[in-house]
Amino acid sequence: MTATFSASERQMVADAVTAIFAAADADATAALVEFGIDDLVASDRQQLGTVFGIQGSTASTSSLLNRVMASALGSAFGELIDLGSSVASLVAPPAIVDGGRLSFAGVAMRTGDGGRVIVGDDRPGGVVAVVDVRAAGVRVRPLQGIDPALCMSAVTAEGVVPDRLIVGTDAAAAWRNALLWGRAALAAELVGCARRVLGIASEYANHRVQFGRPIGSFQAVKHRLANALIAIEAADASVEAVLLRPTALSAMVAKSAAGRAARGAADQALQVLGAIGFTLEHPFHRYQRRCLALDRLFGSSDEIPRAIGAELLRTGDVPIIIGLDDLDHPG
Amino acid sequence: MITTPSIGQLRSDVQAWLAEAAPDIREKRRAECTVASDLEHTRWLFSALWDAGFTRWGWPESVGGAGGSPLLRAVVVEEIAFAGVANIQWFSVPEVLAPPFAAMGSTDLVNAELVPYLRGERWWCQGFSEPEAGSDLASLRTRANLEGDIYIVNGEKVWTSFAHLAERCVLLARTGERAARHRGLTAFLVDMDTPGIVVQPLRTSIGDEDFSQVCFENVAVPVSQIIGRPGEGWSFAMNVLACERATVFWGQVAALHEWLGALMADAPHRDEAASIVGEVYQAIACVRARSWATQRSVAAGDFDVAATSVDKVLMTNAYQALHEAAAQLFGDDFAFGDSPVPSRWRNGYLSSRAASIYGGTAEIQRNIVAERLLGLPR
């Protein structure tokens, strides 16, 4: 299903989503679902980018990523996976099937007190499964990690019977599709987070006076922040490319570019903020932690380029991720 | 009356034409290896593309083109790049100089000069930089004094690419007071055969005759050769720089894809090759995505010149990263080998180092990004 939204309608949605995140305590999922977020992001890819961008720029948390990926898997299961309330989670570990039983170890987001995790493996002989975390053989250990607000858990399973299971080529393809949309969403979130970080640092550089002038007038400071913006704009453009022409490759490029842009922005911003950036009272650290955590999910900006390079060397092809023809047929 | 093709239709027309002509074009080119002969080859290709009708699209009918969106020009250049039948830098020059010229030049001047340029009959060079005016272009000293209906030009330009092979020079000269800085500049299209012009080619570090020193001594330039009006030189120059950082990149990004393919075919696949190649691809794909967004802005007419500094830095980084990758993949052969393939990549590497200097240095671009896009104080 595709729908066309006008610019003003999109702005209304962005304003509403911003308000929902601002009003939510720890987890905005319930309010977002009530708002109709599932249909919205499913019907208009640009909205997907907008919503995740806002989640990133406010360092908010929700189970939206889980829902987007579950939705992308829906066709493989022949139905939309019922996620229950707000606690469905994801793991992307190696998964081993033995007589319909599954063993895996991975990291999941927002497991809370229960719910279901999606397990995926896109290697040959692929696996996609939905596992109830209360099933026998599943262990969930809450993690602090670098960003405790994300409520990560280590999930391990030994010979567990999944609620749903598909294996083989179809499963690998289904998981690749889920990864595509998960990476696109994370890339948009990282860009949002990075823009906020850069905004904080730019504002500070405009007002903080040393040697009788704003530090932002020093070229060394300017170039740090300019480099951050250049990387963010590149990542933003690659997010737009994947939303317009979604492929596994364009999603990988976007995720990797966004992860690197976000980490770079956090580094440059902290250097400009100086000591205040290291304090708990300043909000910067929340964004810094979020940038570092999201970069690791579903392939880091160090791992993804290596995977892309291996594929290019295997095929000898240098694919293009977007073309002028796409301007004739905007998505 | 031919209907304007869609982007997709023009692309397949050019592809079909190239499928037939490309082997012949490549063969013609292979025998030729100097800068001068490569430009000669390109001029032939310009005339062939114009006569086939492809490169007329995207230029207004009022200036001798066939009309349609400027994106149609980008499609043709892109296909030339993908086909690997020409050095795409030659196609970049008219894409930078001709659009501002067509927009600002008088009807008579444009009618006399534009089509011969686009057909490859005449080549233009860009006389902006001077020994004392590089990044600080507005401080340039070359003077053009009005005497009757003739301007008398005196001064010196330098780093003028391919001036020794050009029939025309797009010259930026001072017609006002020096204190007026950028407000006292005027742009001219000067015939390089005019008495008083002396061109001295300079050899680049790889031995090519690429850029030149151009001296003007009492060179008489008719007022009819002014591009725009007296005093509009800075505005013209800024339009040129905007083109230099915007539409032109579409073809160059296509060339980067082509070169990465060539590098993967040419270079040994050492252990760390996947990371090296992947990092370069990442950079190229990002500049492609960014340039795509810029082309869309150009087509929509909501184009922000300052924002193109982002494109310029990304382009420079990707281009230099590609050649850094070549250095890493060829290893000792890059530094010490004398066989043709690593030698070619080595020369490419040395050329690529200029990209963060020409067309506005990397530092100038970052100043623009910081001040105009981030709003940091000047």
Side-chain angles (χ1 to χ4, degrees), chain B residues 325-342:
Chain B
Q328 291 176 30
L329 290 172
F330 282 106
D332 285 351
D333 257 1
F334 177 82
F336 309 121
D338 285 334
S339 53
V341 172

Side-chain angles (χ1 to χ4, degrees), chain A residues 206 219 222-223 227 237 240 244 249 253 256-257 260 305-306 309 313 318-325 327-328, chain B residues 7-8 11 71 250 257 261 269 274-275 278-279 281-282 286 288-290 292 296 363 366-367 371 374-375 377:
Chain A
N206 262 323
Q219 200 174 38
K222 279 182 185 168
H223 287 193
N227 283 335
E240 196 179 357
L244 194 63
L249 178 65
V253 168
S256 167
R260 198 164 294 182
R306 194 185 318 134
L313 288 167
V318 184
I320 59 171
I321 59 168
I322 194 161
L324 293 178
D325 309 56
L327 285 170
D328 275 354
Chain B
I7 285 169
R11 185 188 302 288
L71 294 179
W250 192 251
H257 285 74
H269 293 184
S275 273
E279 290 290 344
Y281 181 78
Q282 179 79 34
C286 280
R288 172 100 179 169
R290 171 67 186 189
W292 183 89
R296 181 185 53 190
E363 286 71 25
R366 283 171 173 83
N367 288 349
E371 291 163 12
L374 283 173

